[in-house]
Amino acid sequence: MHFARALVLAGRGQHDSQVANISCRLGRVCLHHGSLDEALDYFALGQLAAAGPGDEIAASILSMNSAWTHARKGDGGQALAELDRGRDRFAAVDPADVPSWAGFFTETDLSVMVGAVHTDLAHTTNPATPEPRFHLARPR
């Protein structure tokens, strides 16, 4: 409810960066509660708000989250397309233009999202695949 009010206020004030921020947070809430179509709607709204120059980081974050949502739905083609879009937008980021709300999103976070997308794709596009086992290599 509070996020919805914040989204309306940010929209009325024409604060595109905040619209992208709040849309991303609302989408993540929906994603984690299994409301995948609603999550995609919020991510799409955020991507519209982040379409201008200087909003590459927001666009990247929203694309990566959209990719994760598509992976959860089992839509591999769309998930991979959003991953590519998210990586491209991240590569275009000017570190001096990153808004404070998006400062958390680094190359590490980008890699984590890629891993989350591929893990969910493994489960949704081929559910017979056993749980992945991750092995950490010892330094030599």
Side-chain angles (χ1 to χ4, degrees):
M1 181 66 116
H2 296 292
F3 277 136
R5 285 185 189 160
L7 184 58
V8 169
L9 291 173
R12 284 185 186 159
Q14 298 178 339
H15 295 287
D16 289 341
S17 180
Q18 286 304 315
V19 170
N21 174 11
I22 298 162
S23 296
C24 185
R25 294 173 193 282
L26 280 164
R28 283 295 289 260
V29 169
C30 295
L31 170 64
H32 291 297
H33 285 277
S35 301
L36 303 180
D37 291 330
E38 190 174 359
L40 287 171
D41 289 342
Y42 281 118
F43 296 141
L45 176 63
Q47 287 174 338
L48 286 173
D55 288 330
E56 286 83 8
I57 191 74
S60 177
I61 294 168
L62 287 153
S63 288
M64 298 306 286
N65 279 282
S66 182
W68 191 13
T69 307
H70 282 293
R72 288 249 170 119
K73 289 183 75 164
D75 186 352
Q78 193 63 36
L80 296 176
E82 286 290 340
L83 272 183
D84 288 342
R85 197 170 297 121
R87 287 181 182 132
D88 290 346
R89 293 306 294 263
F90 187 82
V93 169
D94 177 357
D97 283 341
V98 174
S100 59
W101 74 266
F104 72 92
F105 199 72
T106 64
E107 287 186 35
T108 301
D109 297 282
L110 185 77
S111 295
V112 168
M113 292 295 291
V114 169
V117 168
H118 284 287
T119 299
D120 275 340
L121 282 175
H123 291 209
T124 58
T125 59
N126 188 4
T129 303
E131 280 290 317
R133 290 194 169 83
F134 298 99
H135 301 282
L136 297 176
R138 291 186 181 194
R140 294 179 186 192

